[in-house]
Amino acid sequence: DAGVIQSPRHEVTEMGQEVTLRCKPISGHDYLFWYRQTMMRGLELLIYFNNNVPIDDSGMPEDRFSAKMPNASFSTLKIQPSEPRDSAVYFCASRSTGNTEAFFGQGTRLTVV
Amino acid sequence: GQQVMQIPQYQHVQEGEDFTTYCNSSTTLSNIQWYKQRPGGHPVFLIQLVKSGEVKKQKRLTFQFGEAKKNSSLHITATQTTDVGTYFCAGNNNDMRFGAGTRLTVKP
């Protein structure tokens, strides 16, 4: 397996634009997590899914953020409209039930100017 | 959701010195995991502790789970430059919430 795959690896966008981050979890994993990492706030859990269903989105900062998981092999995190304070590294991770080890993607470094 | 607190936030050591980071929870944990993130990299799983008082070792790394299962520690003996990075703990749960992490820097 290629591991958790995130795209793009880097994204630079202008304030107000829509940004879509993508994640392909490891095949067979039924949990998927989205995190945001900044120097100030550390590694924050934004939302997680179990069997494609959002379980806890309490970490989603505001209505500008939305996440979907239309099937077991794909998830998106969308920011609309983007703001400079959204600049961060966004990680996707997956794991399977009964195995607490989570596998992280390489991350997407988002810069909003 | 479950939140774990980590201290210290930063630690700078001379190569060869020991290093310890602590993870504390206000509630009992069913288990705890430790991850390491190298600079510019992504978090990578190190270990999971499940039993009260459990101690596990990985070469120079020693992991402990408290008797009350509310705290844990990671100790590195004789640090090397390859130990540089941020060490995170995550409590029990399905929701995989991480502590703030301890950033370790090692001076050669």
Side-chain angles (χ1 to χ4, degrees):
Chain A
D1 201 312
V4 177
I5 300 173
Q6 290 187 245
S7 64
R9 291 291 309 277
H10 303 272
E11 177 82 28
V12 180
T13 190
E14 292 184 345
M15 183 174 60
Q17 295 298 306
E18 177 179 295
V19 175
T20 299
L21 311 181
R22 297 172 176 79
C23 176
K24 182 182 185 323
I26 292 174
S27 177
H29 283 190
D30 53 350
Y31 282 88
L32 184 140
F33 306 84
W34 280 101
Y35 294 91
R36 177 174 67 178
Q37 187 172 40
T38 61
M39 289 290 291
M40 292 297 295
R41 302 176 70 89
L43 192 59
E44 300 175 273
L45 176 67
L46 299 178
I47 185 172
Y48 78 97
F49 296 82
N50 180 221
N51 292 322
N52 314 337
V53 177
I55 303 301
D56 185 346
D57 65 354
S58 60
M60 297 285 264
E62 47 199 271
D63 292 346
R64 297 184 299 106
F65 285 68
S66 63
K68 295 182 179 179
M69 192 164 186
N71 57 62
S73 59
F74 184 65
S75 178
T76 59
L77 177 67
K78 185 175 294 185
I79 308 173
Q80 165 65 20
S82 58
E83 296 182 3
R85 60 188 168 128
D86 302 330
S87 297
V89 179
Y90 291 80
F91 287 105
C92 174
S94 72
R95 70 170 178 85
S96 58
T97 298
N99 183 352
T100 53
E101 176 180 357
F103 295 82
F104 282 75
Q106 299 291 323
T108 295
R109 181 174 295 277
L110 173 65
T111 304
V112 183
V113 298
Chain B
Q2 174 69 47
Q3 192 68 37
V4 290
M5 307 301 293
Q6 260 186 277
I7 55 171
Q9 188 175 4
Y10 301 98
Q11 186 77 54
H12 179 70
V13 300
Q14 188 78 35
E15 188 173 24
E17 293 180 340
D18 292 356
F19 159 77
T20 305
T21 174
Y22 301 90
C23 188
N24 298 295
S25 170
S26 58
T27 59
T28 301
L29 303 171
S30 60
N31 59 62
I32 195 160
Q33 303 95 46
W34 286 93
Y35 289 74
K36 176 184 178 182
Q37 182 179 23
R38 295 182 186 274
H42 58 280
V44 175
F45 177 82
L46 293 177
I47 208 162
Q48 175 180 282
L49 304 173
V50 178
K51 299 177 182 177
S52 169
E54 187 171 14
V55 178
K56 287 187 177 181
K57 292 190 175 184
Q58 290 179 350
K59 298 182 180 179
R60 295 178 294 102
L61 277 61
T62 302
F63 303 84
Q64 291 189 325
F65 203 8
E67 293 291 340
K69 300 182 71 173
K70 289 184 176 182
N71 55 74
S72 179
S73 65
L74 159 58
H75 179 83
I76 302 178
T77 303
T79 56
Q80 300 175 358
T81 55
T82 53
D83 296 323
V84 165
T86 302
Y87 293 84
F88 293 96
C89 62
N92 335 306
N93 332 309
N94 289 334
D95 61 2
M96 293 290 299
R97 292 180 191 275
F98 288 82
T102 297
R103 179 175 293 183
L104 172 65
T105 54
V106 180
K107 184 177 181 181

